Amino acid sequence: MATSPAQRVIFLACGSFNPPTNMHLRLFELARDHFRTQQPLSSVLGGVISPTHDAYAKSSLIPSTHRLSMARLAVSQSSLVTVSDWEVRQEGWSRTRLVLDEYSKLAREGKADWLPHLGSPEQGPITFKLLCGADLLESFAVPDLWNKEDMTTIVRDYGIVVISREGSNPEKFIYSSDLLTAYQHNIHIVTEWIANEVSSTKIRTAVRRGNSVKYLVPDPVIQYMEQNRLYL
């Protein structure tokens, strides 16, 4: 399915979004540009932000009610990206492979109001592509960190769009893995030539210290953080 010459593509970004930043939104723009030029038979339907469940083991994670609200505010002016609340409504944390499987089922059934417009069957099958930074790809090479069956399903049946910083070498991590090498045709490397080191961790640190994060985080998100006194 994922290697069909003509396909309807939805980019999926999973993570904490604690808080969502302009860089998170930028990833979707870079992915769309790449598919427009490098995968011209593909039709990009849109992108989905999927905040993780509160049960995800991370000490800095704030409640999903806030993270979901901020994500929705962040994409409020975007015609490309929507936000799913499926993960946060589950009883516990969901593995990435399970999220991809479930979202694919929902897309086939057209049963989720957060899905983008799904186009027509003439454009090919619908496939989700996992959108991530190079650090996630590198984590695939860490022994026993990922379930091998999950990793195989993700790269074989869905595919990954990796946004890489200038000067990094994601191809090295693909080469170091027999699995990633076998399915490298389904791993799309996109280089961000405009340096952007914005991260949620740095945003939280800046807010805690009373520093401005304007132009690094969407304005509605900044207002929400201030109103709810988050990260102080």
Side-chain angles (χ1 to χ4, degrees), residues 138-155:
E138 294 169 12
S139 76
F140 277 14
V142 177
D144 302 321
L145 182 61
W146 285 79
N147 177 292
K148 187 172 182 180
E149 183 181 345
D150 283 2
M151 192 163 63
T152 300
T153 299
I154 290 170
V155 295

Side-chain angles (χ1 to χ4, degrees), residues 5 10 43 61 91 110-111 126 132 143 152 159 161 178 195-197 207 219 224:
I10 302 174
S43 301
L61 198 65
E91 293 184 359
K111 288 186 176 179
I126 296 174
C132 62
T152 300
V161 183
D178 291 342
N196 190 331
E197 300 298 325
V207 171
D219 284 346
Y224 185 93

Side-chain angles (χ1 to χ4, degrees), residues 3-232:
T3 55
S4 170
Q7 51 188 337
R8 289 173 283 169
V9 174
I10 302 174
F11 303 123
L12 173 64
C14 298
S16 300
F17 302 99
N18 184 36
T21 72
N22 287 341
M23 188 57 196
H24 287 131
L25 302 179
R26 177 77 180 144
L27 298 180
F28 291 95
E29 297 291 333
L30 291 165
R32 177 169 60 177
D33 282 350
H34 175 83
F35 271 71
R36 175 175 52 81
T37 58
Q38 303 300 318
Q39 303 287 326
L41 294 179
S42 296
S43 301
V44 173
L45 302 180
V48 176
I49 284 176
S50 184
T52 193
H53 193 275
D54 286 338
Y56 183 67
K58 205 171 186 179
S59 61
S60 60
L61 198 65
I62 66 170
S64 60
T65 52
H66 288 309
R67 293 183 289 108
L68 192 62
S69 294
M70 288 189 290
R72 286 171 170 161
L73 288 169
V75 306
S76 60
Q77 300 300 313
S78 173
S79 61
L80 176 64
V81 187
T82 60
V83 176
S84 167
D85 63 352
W86 183 86
E87 283 195 66
V88 304
R89 290 190 292 102
Q90 303 311 300
E91 293 184 359
W93 172 74
S94 301
R95 304 192 319 275
T96 302
R97 181 261 181 96
L98 175 63
V99 176
L100 284 161
D101 288 347
E102 184 64 27
Y103 285 13
S104 296
K105 177 183 176 183
L106 290 172
R108 288 193 300 270
E109 299 172 349
K111 288 186 176 179
D113 58 7
W114 45 261
L115 285 167
H117 178 68
L118 297 178
S120 64
E122 290 74 21
Q123 294 172 291
I126 296 174
T127 181
F128 280 85
K129 300 286 186 185
L130 183 62
L131 179 61
C132 62
D135 54 343
L136 186 141
L137 182 68
E138 294 169 12
S139 76
F140 277 14
V142 177
D144 302 321
L145 182 61
W146 285 79
N147 177 292
K148 187 172 182 180
E149 183 181 345
D150 283 2
M151 192 163 63
T152 300
T153 299
I154 290 170
V155 295
R156 180 191 64 203
D157 298 347
Y158 295 104
I160 307 175
V161 183
V162 182
I163 308 300
S164 175
R165 294 186 179 92
E166 180 184 5
S168 66
N169 186 13
E171 289 84 358
K172 177 181 68 175
F173 295 98
I174 295 175
Y175 177 79
S176 68
S177 165
D178 291 342
L179 175 63
L180 296 181
T181 298
Y183 298 106
Q184 60 183 317
H185 63 279
N186 218 14
I187 302 174
H188 306 272
I189 306 295
V190 184
T191 300
E192 167 60 291
W193 297 105
I194 303 173
N196 190 331
E197 300 298 325
V198 176
S199 72
S200 294
T201 300
K202 292 178 180 178
I203 295 299
R204 293 195 302 271
T205 298
V207 171
R208 187 174 67 249
R209 294 175 179 174
N211 297 329
S212 171
V213 294
K214 192 172 179 63
Y215 308 120
L216 302 176
V217 175
D219 284 346
V221 175
I222 295 175
Q223 293 166 7
Y224 185 93
M225 290 190 296
E226 291 174 346
Q227 291 167 0
N228 291 276
R229 299 187 57 77
L230 300 179
Y231 309 120
L232 298 177

